[in-house]
Amino acid sequence: MVGIGGAAESTDMVLNIGPQHPSTHGVLRLKLVLDGERIVRAEPVIGYMHRGAEKLFEARDYRQIIVLANRHDWLSAFSNELGVVLAVERMLGMEVPERAVWLRTLLAELNRVLNHLMFLGSYPLELGGITPIFYAFTEREKLQHVMEEVSGGRMHYMFNRVGGLKEDLPAGWTGRARAAVAEVRAHMDRIDDLVLGNEIFRGRTRGVGALSPEAVHAYGVSGPIGRASGVDFDLRRDEPYLAYGELGDVLKVVTREEGDCLARFECLLEQTHNSLDLADACLDRLAELPPGPVNQRLPKVLKAPEGHTYAWTENPLGINGYYLVSKGEKTPYRLKLRSASYNNIQALTELLPGTLVADMVAILGSMFFVVGDIDK
């Protein structure tokens, strides 16, 4: 209690949400100052899952750092690996085989769908709707099967390598991947209708937790959350990498103007549909390519030349940046990671004040973050 007593007027109460809470996708603590049922101030307290990944990068060579890179956002492991190897390849001036470029694009979009399905199922659960998460996990399993078959991993794929990918596809894999994408697309209507057609869900999310475009820019918010506030920015279109420059006719950058919880959910849902279309386009292109390598032959000891570079990617949750500094050794001198969730969660200090405690979970869940991605 902060004030002169429980019976006095205008007494503020400090309430700790967490550090364990079911709607945070990890271990986050929110320190709220309340005036009755209304939030006066909100402070996200982070660091409970910090494991010093950036420091650990400095003690491992360029092959080994991939195992660290795919763990901070455990829902976007393939995309996390991708950013690191792109930075190293840029330092080396290395060209990646065309098949590897298209395969990376395909797997990045499948990983994006897996990430989004988790939030499309878990967000309604946080608002009291249990059914969508069963549908979401059913569809996730179909894509998990093909991702596990190609990489050997279900969560931490370890499939990217400097210079390409670990190995070529199993026989018949593209056909099974195409069938999985078609199945997921055919069943997405169940989530569309069940959630967006629910008047209770719309009542809990429409007009709640509106984030202004100015706040998006001020806090560096990106991804579906930023685009839901009308900030039309997507690296896949605006600064293309991999094969996205050739997918301009398929890639659709989904935006909304409202910036509320409902707009964020709609952006995530519509972006999932578009990622399935992108996956199909990649499969079509792979079918046209002649057989060829999916990686470059590397020296036994891989050393990046002295210098520095910055690579960034449009990860499922937003922009990830990788600032790599090399002293010409086999390990990075410095690898600074800019994770999407870290910036996105800071906006809670602006979003939560003035709202009711009952709306706190609705706002928190709509920010679509992974706490390991915040803490690194």
Side-chain angles (χ1 to χ4, degrees):
M1 279 288 198
V2 179
I4 59 173
E9 292 185 6
S10 69
T11 298
D12 291 341
M13 180 173 74
V14 178
L15 178 66
N16 280 289
I17 305 293
Q20 297 281 5
H21 195 270
S23 66
T24 58
H25 298 281
V27 188
L28 176 76
R29 174 181 163 212
L30 279 180
K31 185 178 177 183
L32 306 179
V33 177
L34 306 179
D35 181 7
E37 287 290 310
R38 199 164 294 279
I39 297 171
V40 178
R41 288 195 305 279
E43 178 190 353
V45 183
I46 64 174
Y48 292 96
M49 298 187 71
H50 179 64
R51 58 195 176 85
E54 292 177 352
K55 195 66 182 174
L56 292 173
F57 285 144
E58 300 170 15
R60 285 157 177 78
D61 66 34
Y62 288 106
R63 290 180 173 90
Q64 296 169 329
I65 58 175
I66 299 169
V67 76
L68 297 167
N70 66 21
R71 279 164 165 74
H72 55 89
D73 175 0
W74 48 80
L75 297 178
S76 312
F78 186 87
S79 302
N80 297 339
E81 300 170 12
L82 190 58
V84 170
V85 296
L86 287 175
V88 179
E89 287 162 4
R90 184 175 292 180
M91 286 285 286
L92 292 166
M94 182 180 288
E95 288 289 329
V96 176
E98 189 179 11
R99 270 176 59 78
V101 171
W102 282 96
L103 267 173
R104 281 177 169 180
T105 311
L106 166 62
L107 295 171
E109 289 307 311
L110 293 179
N111 192 198
R112 195 181 307 275
V113 176
L114 285 169
N115 174 290
H116 290 357
L117 280 171
M118 173 64 82
F119 288 104
L120 292 173
S122 66
Y123 184 41
L125 179 67
E126 290 150 16
L127 298 180
I130 193 171
T131 309
I133 200 162
F134 295 121
Y135 287 136
F137 265 82
T138 300
E139 304 314 315
R140 271 175 58 87
E141 278 304 303
K142 295 167 186 173
L143 296 178
Q144 284 282 31
H145 285 318
V146 294
M147 292 292 282
E148 184 177 7
E149 183 186 1
V150 74
S151 68
R154 281 181 60 83
M155 197 166 180
H156 305 302
Y157 303 110
M158 283 300 298
F159 198 53
N160 277 288
R161 295 292 186 273
V162 176
L165 296 168
K166 177 186 172 186
E167 57 197 8
D168 209 343
L169 304 175
W173 183 85
T174 53
R176 291 186 288 277
R178 193 182 293 276
V181 169
E183 278 191 58
V184 173
R185 182 186 287 107
H187 294 138
M188 283 298 294
D189 286 347
R190 298 192 298 190
I191 298 176
D192 295 19
D193 299 338
L194 189 65
V195 181
L196 288 182
N198 186 296
E199 62 183 60
I200 298 175
F201 178 84
R202 299 183 77 87
R204 288 292 306 275
T205 56
R206 187 193 284 115
V208 174
L211 185 65
S212 67
E214 293 76 21
V216 168
H217 291 300
Y219 287 95
V221 174
S222 58
I225 302 172
R227 291 191 285 273
S229 295
V231 178
D232 187 5
F233 182 66
D234 190 314
L235 281 175
R236 296 174 297 170
R237 178 200 63 195
D238 300 325
E239 227 179 272
Y241 58 100
L242 295 181
Y244 289 115
E246 300 179 46
L247 292 169
D249 55 337
V250 183
L251 176 62
K252 179 185 177 185
V253 179
V254 183
T255 60
R256 292 288 187 275
E257 297 297 326
E258 296 83 0
D260 57 9
C261 295
L262 181 60
R264 291 191 278 273
F265 187 87
E266 287 176 342
C267 276
L268 205 70
L269 184 59
E270 199 171 329
Q271 190 168 287
T272 306
H273 285 280
N274 186 239
S275 289
L276 293 169
D277 294 338
L278 288 167
D280 269 341
C282 291
L283 286 164
D284 292 341
R285 185 72 176 99
L286 282 167
E288 299 169 0
L289 291 177
V294 294
N295 50 38
Q296 294 275 24
R297 190 172 183 84
L298 299 177
K300 189 173 181 180
V301 177
L302 179 65
K303 294 183 178 181
E306 189 168 348
H308 59 94
T309 190
Y310 184 77
W312 56 348
T313 58
E314 186 69 41
N315 264 41
L317 296 180
I319 292 172
N320 270 25
Y322 305 85
Y323 180 57
L324 173 63
V325 181
S326 171
K327 295 291 187 182
E329 302 296 330
K330 66 178 182 178
T331 60
Y333 177 77
R334 182 80 169 92
L335 181 51
K336 175 71 178 74
L337 171 63
R338 187 264 192 216
S339 60
S341 298
Y342 180 81
N343 286 72
N344 292 354
I345 200 65
Q346 305 307 314
L348 286 173
T349 58
E350 179 121 351
L351 274 179
L352 290 177
T355 64
L356 298 172
V357 176
D359 290 328
M360 184 269 298
V361 173
I363 296 169
L364 189 61
S366 74
M367 295 307 286
F368 309 131
F369 59 88
V370 172
V371 179
D373 198 41
I374 300 170
D375 291 344
K376 302 190 286 294

